Structure formats: structure tokens, C-alpha cells
Amino acid sequence: MRGFRIVVAAHGELADAFVSAATLICGVLHDIHAVGLRPDDSPESFSDRLAEVVAGDEPILILTDLVGGTPHNVALILARRLPAATVISGVNLAVLVEAATSTDALDAATVDRLVALGRSALSDSSSLAASRGP
Amino acid sequence: MALKLVRVDDRLIHGQVVAIWLKALGANRIVIVDDKTARDDFLREILELAAPPGVPVEVHDLATGTERVRELASDPQPVFVIMRSPVTALRMREAGVEFPLLNVGGIGAGPGRKPLYRNISASPEELEAMRQLEAMGTRVELRIVESDRPVMFASVNV
């Protein structure tokens, strides 16, 4: 049982697609939400939708796609008013799956671990394969 | 001319700016001229975090920003200037800061605002500012990302 909620905030359909892909891997997931930035969104309209989902006092992990993008900037602004919210940016599927299946508390150690895992999930796989030979 | 681009975008720094424009322009410094952001330490911090590592973000109010942009215009480092409204651009132009082109990339819709082109709307005051900029010799283009064909403000019927 996970001890925190998860929200993926990303550009376009990516947020929904991340959740759908994580569900494909993990099976049914609870307390995972997607909020996508639409082409006609203003930062304010996006912020309103995200605020609705992240409201509350429970621990919540907000995963955003691109550092500096509107989902990231808005998430940081909202998280300021949410003592139990944490924002990680540059989400990839490995991070989302790990977070979704985590049973740890959302503390600094968990966040460090997720970020390290996300970094190591990005790999130059062709070079690795080549270095191992045929 | 080290002002690579002067842009109006009410989101200031966001995905299109970070992922597309910075790279296309080869700019290595962002200067934001916005009174509201300059007064708000937290918003300023968010914008500093929003830029890629190695690209410093300066946030100035109109008065300080005008002087800073004037200074940077004659400095060789490539700079990207962003503001929320064409009215800010007009004030800077009136203060004698010269830039041949104003890129308008995003101004949200809202009450009293007229849709101009795609995601760009403008209030009567902003329309007037763009007209005056054109009259002062600054061309105004409507272009969201670098690969879009620029649409000149002068060619849009409003």
C-alpha cells in the first residue's frame, strides 16, 4: 500500500499516456492522476485544474515532464502552499512505475532514490550492447 | 546587436521558450522585464529554476530592465528578452531602447481581449502599443515557436 498520492502534470496528452502506460505495466493503480496542459490552456486555467487534484493534506508526489515548462512552473507554485507535496521533474516511465509501486513514505530518502533511479534509467543502450559484443 | 530576440509571452519562461527558442537563438542569458515578477521573490525563483543550467535569468522591473536591456544591447553576449505585454515593449522603445523586431508569442484570452491569431489575444491598449511600435519602426511579428511562419501584426485585420 502506497503512502502517498501521485499526480503526473505534463504537456498535451503525455500525462494521461504516462498513467496509461504505468497501468499497462503495473495493473490497476489507485490514487494516480493525470493533468495535461492543453493547447488552449493559460497558466491560470491549468493551475486551477491541477490545484483541484493536488488539494488536501495527504502526502502527494507531483511528477512533471520538463523543467521550466508550464506544468513544472505551476506545480512549484502550488506546492509552496502544500506542506506535504513534493515535485520531481523530468519524469520517465521507470520513475513513475517505481513511485506507483512504492510502499515507502514520501520522505527525502525516497525522493533521492526516485531521482537517482530516473537518471540511471536513461541509458545509451546501443553503446552498452556494442561493448558487450555479438 | 546582442538582443537576439525581444518576445512578448505572458507565461514568460515555459516549455516552448526553454526547449525551442533558447536553442534556436543561441542565447545564453534571459532577461525578464516585468514589474509583477520583479516584486515577487517566489515567482522570480521559479523562473530562475525554469531556465536550463548555465543560462542565468535576470528579472527586472520596467525602470531597471530598460537600463539593463540598453546596456546588454551593446554587449556581445546573446540575450533573450521576455516580457508579458507589448505595452512594456513600447515603454522601453519610448525610452530609446532600439530593437528592429518584436516577437509576440503568447498572450492569453480574457474579458475585453480580442483574439488576434491562434493563442494570441490583445486588449485595446496592447493593440495600440503594437501599432505605435510599428509606427516607431519596430516590426511586430506574431510567431509562437521558431519554426512557425511569422505573421506580421500589420497584416492582421483587427
Side-chain angles (χ1 to χ4, degrees), chain B:
Chain B
M1 185 65 177
L3 302 179
K4 297 300 282 188
L5 190 71
V6 180
R7 174 173 170 96
V8 171
D9 190 325
D10 62 2
R11 294 183 210 181
L12 299 173
I13 300 180
H14 60 97
Q16 288 162 355
V17 166
V18 170
I20 306 291
W21 280 107
L22 260 185
K23 202 197 281 182
L25 297 171
N28 59 18
R29 177 176 296 269
I30 297 176
V31 175
I32 288 170
V33 183
D34 185 58
D35 286 345
K36 184 180 160 213
T37 313
R39 280 195 305 265
D40 187 328
D41 286 349
F42 182 72
L43 275 183
R44 221 167 52 210
E45 204 179 306
I46 298 266
L47 291 173
E48 284 161 9
L49 287 171
V55 178
V57 177
E58 300 179 19
V59 181
H60 301 287
D61 62 15
L62 178 60
T64 322
T66 302
E67 290 321 306
R68 182 63 177 143
V69 172
R70 194 197 308 277
E71 178 184 297
L72 286 168
S74 52
D75 185 298
Q77 64 168 320
V79 175
F80 187 8
V81 182
I82 313 175
M83 55 201 62
R84 278 181 209 272
S85 163
V87 178
T88 307
L90 177 63
R91 297 288 170 262
M92 288 174 57
R93 187 70 186 73
E94 285 169 343
V97 180
E98 300 218 2
F99 42 97
L101 179 75
L102 179 71
N103 164 259
V104 178
I107 323 179
R113 314 178 64 81
K114 198 169 171 171
L116 262 188
Y117 170 72
R118 290 173 59 185
N119 67 335
I120 302 168
S121 296
S123 67
E125 191 192 8
E126 285 162 348
L127 289 173
E128 186 51 33
M130 289 188 272
R131 284 188 202 105
Q132 286 192 37
L133 280 163
E134 291 267 359
M136 295 172 89
T138 293
R139 286 175 308 122
V140 178
E141 68 166 20
L142 312 175
R143 181 156 61 134
I144 297 164
V145 292
E146 196 261 348
S147 59
D148 288 343
R149 188 178 57 85
V151 171
M152 300 318 291
F153 169 69
S155 74
V156 176
N157 286 320
V158 285

Side-chain angles (χ1 to χ4, degrees), chain A residues 11 37-44 66-70 72-74 76-77 80, chain B residues 10-11 13-16 18-19 36 40 42-43 46-47 49-51 84 108 119:
Chain A
H11 290 79
L37 177 71
R38 301 171 189 151
D40 58 346
D41 259 326
S42 65
E44 290 71 27
L66 182 71
V67 175
T70 297
H72 161 268
N73 299 350
V74 166
L76 280 182
I77 291 170
R80 174 170 62 155
Chain B
D10 62 2
R11 294 183 210 181
I13 300 180
H14 60 97
Q16 288 162 355
V18 170
K36 184 180 160 213
D40 187 328
F42 182 72
L43 275 183
I46 298 266
L47 291 173
L49 287 171
R84 278 181 209 272
N119 67 335

